[in-house]
Amino acid sequence: QVKELKANIYSNKNIVTTSKKEKDSIKRFYESQIAAINSSFSSDIKLLNSTWEAKFQLHNITILLDMKTKFESEKARLLESFKEQHQMEISKLKAELAYVESSRNSSHFTVLELKKRLADQTNEYTTKTKDFESKSKEAAKTIAELREKFKKATSSSSSPAVSKDRSAANTASS
């Protein structure tokens, strides 16, 4: 359109007009044509700028969507890896717990067995101690009775000197 207008201007230069009115009218016509073209050109530039801006924004959105997709993929991969690691750790801890419980249970049975043995041995010791004490008392009683009998037997003997020697012997052995 600009080329057409310039062509019209150059072709109209050669026209000779007689009246100032006609010149003003032609001038206003061309000025209105130029203003219309400028307005159209300005609108076209705005439209072109808007198109470029839209393309730029679309490009940015595409980049952001690609980045989001990559991040989501990486996030999913990391979560899966994290889950696998935790599953392995949980499995390991469960195995350790089972071992500890097994050890504890066997230790518990061992402790119970040892406590039972100790109680049995304590009872046996107590019983043997009581038997020993009763036999010791019985033996002491028997010894006392035998001494008494010995004293009686020695006192009824015929010689008092022999009886003194035997008393001295009995006292020394006691």
Side-chain angles (χ1 to χ4, degrees):
Q1 286 180 347
V2 173
K3 286 183 180 180
E4 269 180 48
L5 188 57
K6 284 183 178 179
N8 283 337
I9 291 173
Y10 288 123
S11 67
N12 287 333
K13 269 188 178 178
N14 297 333
I15 300 175
V16 177
T17 56
T18 55
S19 87
K20 186 170 170 126
K21 254 183 171 182
E22 281 181 12
K23 286 182 182 179
D24 287 342
S25 171
I26 291 173
K27 184 179 174 184
R28 277 189 301 247
F29 170 75
Y30 285 125
E31 284 175 349
S32 72
Q33 287 281 326
I34 290 171
I37 291 172
N38 281 340
S39 173
S40 174
F41 184 70
S42 176
S43 295
D44 288 347
I45 288 177
K46 285 180 183 177
L47 181 62
L48 183 60
N49 284 340
S50 295
T51 304
W52 285 346
E53 183 66 26
K55 284 182 180 180
F56 180 73
Q57 293 300 330
L58 183 61
H59 178 71
N60 284 345
I61 289 171
T62 304
I63 290 172
L64 289 173
L65 287 174
D66 286 345
M67 288 174 64
K68 180 186 177 225
T69 303
K70 287 177 184 176
F71 286 139
E72 289 294 325
S73 173
E74 184 66 13
K75 176 185 166 188
R77 187 189 67 75
L78 289 173
L79 280 174
E80 187 61 33
S81 173
F82 184 71
K83 284 179 184 177
E84 288 174 6
Q85 287 176 352
H86 277 305
Q87 287 299 328
M88 287 177 14
E89 191 66 28
I90 287 171
S91 296
K92 190 188 296 182
L93 289 173
K94 282 182 179 179
E96 286 180 24
L97 179 63
Y99 174 75
V100 167
E101 284 179 347
S102 168
S103 296
R104 187 193 66 181
N105 288 340
S106 67
S107 297
H108 180 69
F109 290 126
T110 304
V111 167
L112 288 176
E113 187 177 310
L114 290 174
K115 282 182 179 180
K116 185 178 179 219
R117 278 188 192 171
L118 180 62
D120 290 346
Q121 287 178 356
T122 303
N123 287 339
E124 184 179 332
Y125 175 77
T126 305
T127 303
K128 285 182 179 180
T129 303
K130 286 179 183 178
D131 285 347
F132 177 75
E133 286 175 357
S134 70
K135 286 181 181 179
S136 291
K137 285 180 183 177
E138 206 175 289
K141 187 177 174 184
T142 305
I143 290 172
E145 287 174 359
L146 288 175
R147 279 190 181 159
E148 195 58 38
K149 285 180 183 179
F150 181 72
K151 280 183 184 179
K152 284 182 185 180
T154 53
S155 62
S156 46
S157 82
S158 57
S159 104
V162 174
S163 132
K164 281 184 186 179
D165 289 336
R166 285 186 186 161
S167 306
N170 282 341
T171 309
S173 66
S174 304

